[in-house]
Amino acid sequence: MRLFGQGDRLFGRDSECATLDHLITEARSGRSAALVLRGEAGVGKTALLRYARSTAPESLLINGVEAEAEFPYAGLHRLLVPLLPHRDRLPAAQRTALEVACGLADGPSADLYLVSLAALTLLAAEPRLCVVDDAHWLDPESARALAFVARRLHAEGVVLLFGLRTVPDDPGLFAGVDVLELTGLGRDAAMALLSDVVAGELDLSLAEQIADTTGGNPLALTDLGHELTADQWRGASPLPDPVPIGSRLEQHYASRVRGYPAATRDWLVLAAAGTGGRTEHLLDAARILGTGPEQAAPAESDRLVTGAPPAEFRHPLVRSAIYGDADPVQRRAVHAALARATTAAADSDRRAWHLAAATVAPDESVAAELERSADRAGARGGHTARAGFLTRAVELTPDPGVRAHRQVQAAGAAMTAGAPSRALLLLDSLEEGLLTGADPGTVLLTRANASVNAGVPQGLRDAAAMCLAAAEAFGDDRVNARVAVVQAIQHATTAEHLGRTSEPEIAAAAAPLAGDDPADLDGLLLAGYAAFITKGFAGGVPPLRRAIAAIADPDLPDEVLLTRFILGINFCNMVWDETTKQFLIARAEAAARRTGALHALDIVHFIGAMTDAFAGRLNDADRHDAAGQRVRLAIGITAEQEQVWRHPELVAWRAPDGLRETLPHALGVFEMLHMGGMYASTRLSLAMLDNAVGDYAAARDGLLTLVDLGRPLRYAWALPELVEAAVRSGDRATAGQALTDLDLAARASDTSRALGLLHRSRALLSGPDAAEEHYRAAIERFDGTVSYGDLARSHLVYGEWLRRRRRRRDARDQLTVALEMFEEVRANAFAARAGQELAALGEQVPSPVPDSGRTILTPQEAAVAILARTGETNAEIAAQLFLSANTVDYHLRKVFRKLGVSSRRQLRDVLPD
């Protein structure tokens, strides 16, 4: 048995208390932890959280409040109130976001992750225990922010504990945070608890029956201990049937409240409805209703509520039972009184919500007030709350046309809040015949994006078609029509050949909207895409390059760059522009970190890893891949969800065991999801691996399902792989046609990589007199560029050609360079091929072994070290890596120990690029 506070007791929780003791002890040594205590109502979460607080003075505590669930960042604000006077220590972007989120300042809509990082920075500055009970009732923004903090804690000395009720439809906000599942007490502990709370004689067999019937639920046991009569506990009188536990326990509370005087019931319902509001408003509303806190005496005697206003309910079940059992007329009267009493301008959103709860018939004045509250919530970054206010406004809007317009707005707000399924539900119940102006087009555009994000079957396949329909619905509104067609292009670049709408159809819609001589970004994007699709490489490259230059413009605002970044990368792929692609990735990464856009940062790292892997820069690809995994952990993406973020091109280079079975399976998954871009990347990765291991016929056959010979366009980047596969499999006709297409694409693109691949492919098809010139030209083109893998493969095929010409020494030189380059990045299949060629020359090729003397930094340590060697402070590094400064210091000390240095300056000498 554990004792804490003023005589409180915990039975049968030694293991759980020991876990909490360990976390708090470790925190005193500078190590942080986060833990979710999850279980059914009454199982003892709150008691364990009270125990933790009893061992850690000066802890912070908040309770989730159901009435605040619609007010963005309300819970986080309450938790941080003692720390807000120190917010001037925060980096400017974090401070601004936090102040806007908490309603302390006006400004652009607060980014969730900048607010989250600000909270992490404030909490880490003064290590302590932070307790959030009833976390299931936090507003969604606060829950997401605190879950982010929990996942990023490491070396701050902070312990963050959540009490979370088990619910059937758990939204998974706390995914990635350690969970301690709480169940009922064991029989012995339950018996001990009953012996402690039952004042008189206790029949042991009856006590065992009660322990089993309640499932060891401590709240049920405690209440029964106080409420059953002495005769019942002695076994002389029958027990109530059924015994009140779980939902029946809630009903049990409700039945007791029904026996109180009307004034007591009014006060209790008012206290339940007004939780989270100001005490003076609660008292003013009580006077309007003719009741007051003095009426609470019966409930206080029964231990259902305690304390002066605001009333503190003994357990959340008591509050929900009182409010839920109240007559609807009584609830509306209570909310009406609270609305009349809530007059301060700062509380206008709470007043609007009470007005809505008090209204049963459509009322335009209340609906308009809710719409204004929605706008205020959106300005603070509370997009979930904005959707909630607008949805309620829809229900109370009397005019059908205005109601339909607000419903469209609510669906858009749900999309912004990351709730695409909710957006689709709102759109499905819409009376579309009532829509006017831009709303019909907005509905189609919102439905397209929501279907893709919600994972609707065929959603991605049909998205571009819906966007084109939206553009047509916008009619003469060219601004919105352009946005819709740009969105169609973005969906088309994801679906590619698996989309329902052909690229020529999209190009036909894009060209007239672009105009004859566009100068703005979207106009250039539309013109470039239309020209490339309709005119191919011959006429499409120049306008496509102008579009790329517009996206790469250093003056382009961060928020615009991040919305158009993926298109820029796709356009670079079309014209083989590796230099601009690297610039865009670096700039987008910096913009995402600067603005706290973690979802965008995740995409940047994904594209960065894919780009580096296809170019053979596998160590750089590893960095992006590891950074992406860290970001996904921070934002709560589960291991199962992360599977779609695996990189087939990176895995193909490394060629682990079992790869030949898993990649074809991935093809089927991407085909089912209509993710044509990922399907094509996987198909190319398989062909590259087939070429590496000498299965050239399989590589050729796979690529022929992708490439449209005679019309080089989007998949021209697969042509060099097809040339090698076809030549080596004896299909010179296919190789010749692929080379002709490659020649057209490469000359029009006119980049070092394109021309290098053209020379290497020509060499494979050339006779003995011309081949060597092309091999050397390819190596020269690739040397000094970012095309590491292309350079290594050029050395390989040149060395293979030299060996077959019996120029052993020259062959050995080229193959040795190739082998060393492949081993440097662990490109195992190609390294094996180079090794086999050297072995055929009689060379001894040792099996590569790990360098046991090499110092290995973890990805997190490497990221910290790279920034530290450039002179960044701990706070600056923390802001970039979404960590606390304490955690940065922890990692940096480990880096210094591993590398044997004592200063940032020394990192420049010992840390390789």
Side-chain angles (χ1 to χ4, degrees):
M1 181 180 69
R2 297 282 182 128
L3 298 177
F4 61 96
Q6 298 298 315
D8 292 317
R9 295 173 175 82
L10 281 175
F11 293 85
R13 296 299 189 196
D14 286 351
S15 173
E16 292 84 352
C17 290
T19 296
L20 297 175
D21 290 341
H22 175 73
L23 296 183
I24 292 169
T25 300
E26 289 286 288
R28 295 187 181 112
S29 302
R31 286 179 283 277
S32 295
L35 185 66
V36 172
L37 279 67
R38 185 168 62 195
E40 65 177 356
V43 80
K45 302 181 293 294
T46 298
L48 282 166
L49 294 175
R50 283 204 303 267
Y51 169 78
R53 291 188 66 213
S54 74
T55 66
E58 299 184 4
S59 57
L60 298 178
L61 166 70
I62 62 166
N63 288 75
V65 177
E66 193 174 8
E68 287 186 345
E70 297 294 338
F71 301 105
Y73 296 109
L76 183 70
H77 187 186
R78 285 192 288 116
L79 181 70
L80 297 181
V81 162
L83 309 180
L84 288 176
H86 307 301
R87 63 185 184 276
D88 56 335
R89 304 173 186 171
L90 294 170
Q94 294 179 31
R95 184 177 66 252
T96 299
L98 183 64
E99 289 176 343
V100 170
C102 294
L104 303 175
D106 295 325
S109 178
D111 179 87
L112 172 67
Y113 295 111
L114 278 179
V115 175
S116 305
L117 189 57
L120 173 63
T121 306
L122 282 178
L123 291 171
E126 297 183 43
R128 67 183 77 207
L129 170 67
C130 303
V131 174
V132 182
D133 202 0
D134 296 328
H136 45 280
W137 280 336
L138 286 173
D139 61 276
E141 284 78 17
S142 292
R144 291 191 181 99
L146 289 169
F148 174 94
V149 171
R151 289 187 289 263
R152 302 308 282 168
L153 289 173
H154 189 77
E156 303 83 1
V158 173
V159 175
L160 182 51
L161 301 178
F162 299 96
L164 186 66
R165 188 185 298 180
T166 303
V167 293
D169 299 317
D170 185 351
L173 292 176
F174 296 96
V177 183
D178 288 342
V179 175
L180 179 61
E181 295 284 359
L182 295 182
T183 58
L185 301 178
R187 178 175 293 181
D188 290 344
M191 296 277 286
L193 174 58
L194 283 174
S195 297
D196 186 68
V197 297
V198 174
E201 181 184 344
L202 176 64
D203 181 275
L204 294 181
S205 63
L206 177 63
E208 286 189 7
Q209 178 188 342
I210 292 292
D212 291 340
T213 303
T214 59
N217 184 291
L219 180 62
L221 291 167
T222 302
D223 281 354
L224 289 172
H226 288 293
E227 293 162 12
L228 296 183
T229 66
D231 285 345
Q232 286 174 321
W233 281 121
R234 289 199 312 270
S237 296
L239 296 178
D241 185 24
V243 173
I245 58 172
S247 60
R248 293 178 301 196
L249 182 61
E250 188 168 357
Q251 184 59 34
H252 171 68
Y253 289 133
S255 66
R256 286 172 60 189
V257 172
R258 290 181 206 132
Y260 294 157
T264 300
R265 295 199 305 273
D266 285 344
W267 167 251
L268 292 175
V269 175
L270 178 66
T275 302
R278 299 190 187 190
T279 300
E280 59 267 30
H281 294 162
L282 188 68
L283 294 175
D284 287 345
R287 282 190 285 272
I288 292 170
L289 294 171
T291 186
E294 67 279 0
Q295 302 295 334
E300 288 180 332
S301 297
D302 284 343
R303 301 167 52 252
L304 296 184
V305 294
T306 56
E312 181 177 338
F313 293 93
R314 175 167 175 254
H315 190 274
L317 279 180
V318 176
R319 180 179 170 274
S320 61
I322 290 169
Y323 185 82
D325 192 60
D327 181 271
V329 174
Q330 184 184 27
R331 284 202 298 266
R332 287 196 294 272
V334 161
H335 283 292
L338 285 166
R340 286 178 57 189
T342 306
T343 55
D347 298 315
S348 53
D349 293 342
R350 193 177 294 276
R351 177 178 180 276
W353 197 250
H354 286 309
L355 279 174
T359 304
V360 64
D363 186 320
E364 176 56 29
S365 64
V366 178
E369 187 62 40
L370 286 168
E371 188 173 28
R372 287 189 286 272
S373 293
D375 292 339
R376 286 189 292 269
R380 294 199 302 274
H383 302 297
T384 302
R386 181 168 184 263
F389 280 121
L390 284 171
T391 301
R392 182 61 176 140
V394 168
E395 296 168 355
L396 295 178
T397 302
D399 183 270
V402 177
R403 182 168 60 245
H405 173 68
R406 284 174 174 154
Q407 197 162 345
V408 173
Q409 288 185 304
M415 269 301 297
T416 305
S421 297
R422 184 176 180 182
L424 289 173
L425 285 173
L426 285 163
L427 295 177
D428 288 343
S429 61
L430 186 65
E431 294 184 54
E432 296 191 15
L434 299 172
L435 298 177
T436 59
D439 282 347
T442 301
V443 166
L444 287 165
L445 203 55
T446 303
R447 186 179 292 280
N449 295 329
S451 298
V452 171
N453 286 281
V456 172
Q458 322 304 333
L460 184 56
R461 185 198 67 177
D462 299 335
M466 278 193 276
C467 290
L468 292 187
E472 187 175 351
F474 284 128
D476 295 334
D477 183 352
R478 287 177 61 84
V479 173
N480 277 324
R482 277 183 162 197
V483 170
V485 178
V486 169
Q487 191 66 63
I489 295 172
Q490 289 180 316
H491 287 310
T493 57
T494 302
E496 293 190 357
H497 66 287
L498 298 178
R500 190 182 85 188
T501 308
S502 70
E503 292 195 306
E505 289 178 78
I506 301 173
L513 287 170
D516 295 332
D517 188 22
D520 63 294
L521 175 59
D522 279 356
L524 288 167
L525 293 173
L526 293 168
Y529 177 84
F532 185 80
I533 296 303
T534 57
K535 300 176 183 178
F537 279 92
V541 170
L544 208 55
R545 286 200 184 281
R546 286 193 290 274
I548 293 170
I551 297 178
D553 183 351
D555 294 329
L556 191 69
D558 287 346
E559 60 273 16
V560 178
L561 171 68
L562 294 176
T563 61
R564 297 293 183 253
F565 158 73
I566 297 176
L567 267 186
I569 295 297
N570 271 283
F571 285 5
C572 286
N573 287 335
M574 292 177 183
V575 296
W576 310 40
D577 187 350
E578 296 297 313
T579 302
T580 306
K581 189 158 58 170
Q582 288 294 314
F583 171 80
L584 281 176
I585 290 170
R587 182 153 178 249
E589 181 178 352
R593 291 190 183 280
R594 189 162 48 244
T595 59
L598 288 198
H599 283 288
L601 182 61
D602 186 16
I603 294 171
V604 170
H605 283 310
F606 180 77
I607 291 174
M610 177 181 287
T611 298
D612 285 331
F614 272 126
R617 298 187 302 273
L618 306 189
N619 293 336
D620 293 327
D622 287 338
R623 180 189 77 82
H624 276 298
D625 188 34
Q629 290 182 48
R630 291 198 301 274
V631 172
R632 291 191 285 280
L633 175 65
I635 61 181
I637 291 179
T638 65
E640 183 178 84
Q641 293 169 320
E642 196 190 27
Q643 291 306 308
V644 77
W645 296 95
R646 297 297 84 219
H647 291 281
E649 64 287 341
L650 179 57
V651 178
W653 274 103
R654 297 277 165 70
D657 293 339
L659 175 65
R660 302 297 291 275
E661 291 74 38
T662 57
L663 278 187
H665 172 72
L667 281 175
V669 171
F670 292 133
E671 192 168 23
M672 177 186 67
L673 297 174
H674 301 279
M675 298 177 68
M678 289 301 299
Y679 177 94
S681 297
T682 306
R683 176 64 72 189
L684 180 62
S685 301
L686 270 170
M688 181 182 70
L689 179 60
D690 287 333
N691 277 339
V693 300
D695 193 351
Y696 301 112
R700 178 204 59 195
D701 294 345
L703 290 173
L704 283 175
T705 66
L706 197 65
V707 173
D708 185 11
L709 287 177
R711 190 173 179 271
L713 208 60
R714 175 175 296 282
Y715 296 130
W717 43 258
L719 291 169
E721 211 70 61
L722 178 57
V723 169
E724 180 173 353
V727 167
R728 294 290 175 88
S729 63
D731 185 357
R732 295 186 69 84
T734 296
Q737 180 61 65
L739 180 62
T740 299
D741 290 352
L742 178 60
D743 182 85
L744 173 63
R747 290 185 184 281
S749 298
D750 195 32
T751 65
S752 292
R753 181 167 190 244
L755 294 174
L757 289 169
L758 176 60
H759 278 297
R760 192 176 82 200
S761 299
R762 280 199 178 283
L764 290 168
L765 272 168
S766 296
D769 296 335
E772 186 161 20
E773 178 185 350
H774 287 299
Y775 281 127
R776 288 184 176 277
I779 290 171
E780 183 178 345
R781 284 284 183 180
F782 292 135
D783 197 21
T785 71
V786 296
S787 301
Y788 182 95
D790 295 322
L791 177 60
R793 290 184 66 179
S794 296
H795 282 295
L796 172 63
V797 293
Y798 183 28
E800 291 172 335
W801 181 85
L802 288 168
R803 186 177 75 80
R804 284 156 183 75
R805 304 293 299 167
R806 289 184 167 77
R807 293 167 56 180
R808 298 173 60 85
R809 183 173 180 177
D810 293 338
R812 182 174 60 248
D813 292 343
Q814 295 296 325
L815 293 170
T816 299
V817 170
L819 178 62
E820 290 174 351
M821 291 183 72
F822 291 134
E823 287 185 339
E824 175 65 25
V825 295
R826 292 179 291 126
N828 299 325
F830 281 107
R833 177 170 148 184
Q836 290 168 0
E837 290 288 324
L838 282 168
L841 288 171
E843 297 291 321
Q844 294 293 322
V845 183
S847 299
V849 294
D851 182 359
S852 58
R854 184 179 179 185
T855 300
I856 302 297
L857 300 180
T858 67
Q860 191 77 287
E861 291 165 356
V864 169
I866 288 168
L867 292 171
R869 73 174 180 180
T870 63
E872 301 272 1
T873 66
N874 284 5
E876 291 168 337
I877 296 171
Q880 290 202 52
L881 297 183
F882 301 96
L883 302 168
S884 71
N886 307 63
T887 297
V888 170
D889 180 67
Y890 169 82
H891 286 305
L892 199 54
R893 283 186 277 112
K894 290 182 68 178
V895 168
F896 284 176
R897 285 198 302 272
K898 286 185 176 183
L899 299 182
V901 300
S902 57
S903 71
R904 281 170 158 80
R905 180 174 298 175
Q906 290 175 301
L907 287 175
R908 301 172 191 172
D909 300 323
V910 302
L911 195 66
D913 290 335

